[in-house]
Amino acid sequence: MGNRQGGLGRDLGGEKKDDKDKKKKYEPPVPTRIGKKKKRTKGPDAANKLPQVLPHTRCRLKQLRQERIKDYLLMEEEYISNQERLRPQEEKQEEERSKVDDLRGSPMAVGTLEEIIDDNHAIVSTSVGSEHYVSIMFRTN
């Protein structure tokens, strides 16, 4: 009351409409980048491209930067050669695991060895009580 001029509170609706209009207006954000936007190259060309070394004149700083790039490339080459060397071993181990799994198979029934007939055959009894004449794949002590 003491801060308002012009009376008893007329034209309050008009002020609310102006506030809504101000809130609805869209203002684009201020750009954070200064200068041209760099284009990123994708694909195999980007992988083969070496970084640009500045300054262009011959100096100690340029030499150190080039040595750093060289060390990185040597380290990358060593890593790739190690991966190529280890890959056949991993494939060989996987093949051996699959052979062992094939040999193990899934047991049809669990039984106890009753009698060995010869080096390749034996008699096995099951928990039910039936006896079976089976071939022996290998023998362990």
Side-chain angles (χ1 to χ4, degrees):
M1 288 189 170
N3 294 337
R4 282 193 229 151
Q5 293 180 357
L8 301 170
R10 290 184 227 151
D11 295 334
L12 289 177
E15 291 178 13
K16 289 182 182 177
K17 288 182 183 177
D18 291 337
D19 290 339
K20 288 181 182 178
D21 290 340
K22 288 181 184 176
K23 288 180 184 176
K24 288 183 182 179
K25 289 184 181 176
Y26 173 75
E27 295 181 14
V30 179
T32 56
R33 177 179 24 85
I34 298 173
K36 268 189 167 179
K37 183 177 180 182
K38 292 182 181 179
K39 292 182 181 178
R40 288 191 167 210
T41 56
K42 295 181 180 178
D45 295 334
N48 294 333
K49 188 176 179 183
L50 294 175
Q52 185 178 8
V53 180
L54 295 174
H56 294 292
T57 59
R58 290 185 180 184
C59 64
R60 179 89 171 130
L61 181 62
K62 182 175 182 178
Q63 181 185 3
L64 292 174
R65 288 183 178 170
Q66 286 179 337
E67 286 175 0
R68 175 185 256 175
I69 293 170
K70 179 184 172 188
D71 290 341
Y72 176 78
L73 291 173
L74 288 173
M75 190 171 56
E76 191 175 52
E77 181 181 355
E78 182 181 346
Y79 174 77
I80 291 171
S81 63
N82 286 341
Q83 290 299 318
E84 289 175 355
R85 186 167 23 100
L86 294 176
R87 185 168 294 146
Q89 291 178 354
E90 291 173 356
E91 291 173 357
K92 185 177 178 182
Q93 288 175 349
E94 187 175 327
E95 185 179 323
E96 288 175 355
R97 284 188 196 121
S98 65
K99 284 182 182 178
V100 168
D101 289 340
D102 291 342
L103 288 176
R104 284 183 185 165
S106 58
M108 304 307 268
V110 178
T112 58
L113 179 65
E114 292 293 326
E115 184 179 347
I116 297 178
I117 305 299
D118 58 15
D119 289 339
N120 296 328
H121 297 89
I123 296 176
V124 177
S125 65
T126 62
S127 60
V128 178
S130 60
E131 293 184 347
H132 301 279
Y133 181 76
V134 295
S135 62
I136 299 172
M137 292 181 76
F138 58 89
R139 193 173 176 180
T140 59
N141 292 330

